[in-house]
Amino acid sequence: MKHIPACTTAEAGVLLFEDALRPTFDEPYDRDAWIYVPDHYSEYRYILGTRGSRPLICVGVNPSTAAPGRLDNTLKSAQRVAAFNGFDSFVMFNVYAQRATVPDDMEKEPNPVLCRENLSAFDWLLGTLTVQPVIWAAWGAVIEKRNYLPRCVLDMARVGIGHNARWVTAGARSKAGHPHHPLYLKADSPLDPFDVESYCETLIERMR
């Protein structure tokens, strides 16, 4: 199954994150095992992951069709890497929250409301943790698909500073310095420290 955006997220309408946290029970899944915001399938997704006390927070470019109990291969790989590195859960986040299986289908211009609420979701998630957040940069070269994406990452990095977050990558980085995408990673891939702010600043300058 693929997701092709039916319209822009502005046309579709976006729930404020605070409102998206309220359960609708439109889709049946084990809410004690999964975190899923919004809790139903829509044109965007803020958060998807398993519940635990020490999650590995994986950040990709944008969500596709995955939902609780219906993980795609990218999320299955992320879950395996998290388990190998000693985390009891994983959470998938994205630089831009619009669903699109093919990144070329992402909207050409960002929806400022979606950007703001995605950051609110990120801040909320990091604030729920009682351990230092570990954030896995996992977007690959796809980050260059839209000029607004590196700035979104930099905004996330700044939110992470307020929570003393630690950024990491898994697997070899590209010649351009991009973090490896999870899809073809070995399950036993270790995590390496990542200077996300310097990376973003360099990338933003190069993409001007």
Side-chain angles (χ1 to χ4, degrees), residues 17-30:
F17 176 67
E18 184 177 333
D19 294 332
L21 274 174
R22 296 174 185 147
T24 65
F25 301 102
D26 288 345
E27 291 189 27
Y29 63 90
D30 185 350

Side-chain angles (χ1 to χ4, degrees), residues 4-85:
I4 301 172
C7 56
T8 68
T9 55
E11 292 169 328
V14 171
L15 283 173
L16 303 183
F17 176 67
E18 184 177 333
D19 294 332
L21 274 174
R22 296 174 185 147
T24 65
F25 301 102
D26 288 345
E27 291 189 27
Y29 63 90
D30 185 350
R31 291 166 190 267
D32 292 328
W34 294 92
I35 178 170
Y36 184 40
V37 187
D39 69 348
H40 54 277
Y41 196 90
S42 66
E43 289 290 333
Y44 60 96
R45 190 188 74 214
Y46 294 127
I47 305 172
L48 171 62
T50 53
R51 294 189 184 273
S53 60
R54 187 171 178 264
L56 177 60
I57 301 167
C58 182
V59 180
V61 166
N62 72 300
S64 182
T65 60
R70 301 196 306 274
L71 298 184
D72 57 27
N73 288 335
T74 295
L75 271 71
K76 288 177 182 177
S77 179
Q79 189 173 35
R80 289 192 292 267
V81 171
F84 170 78
N85 283 279

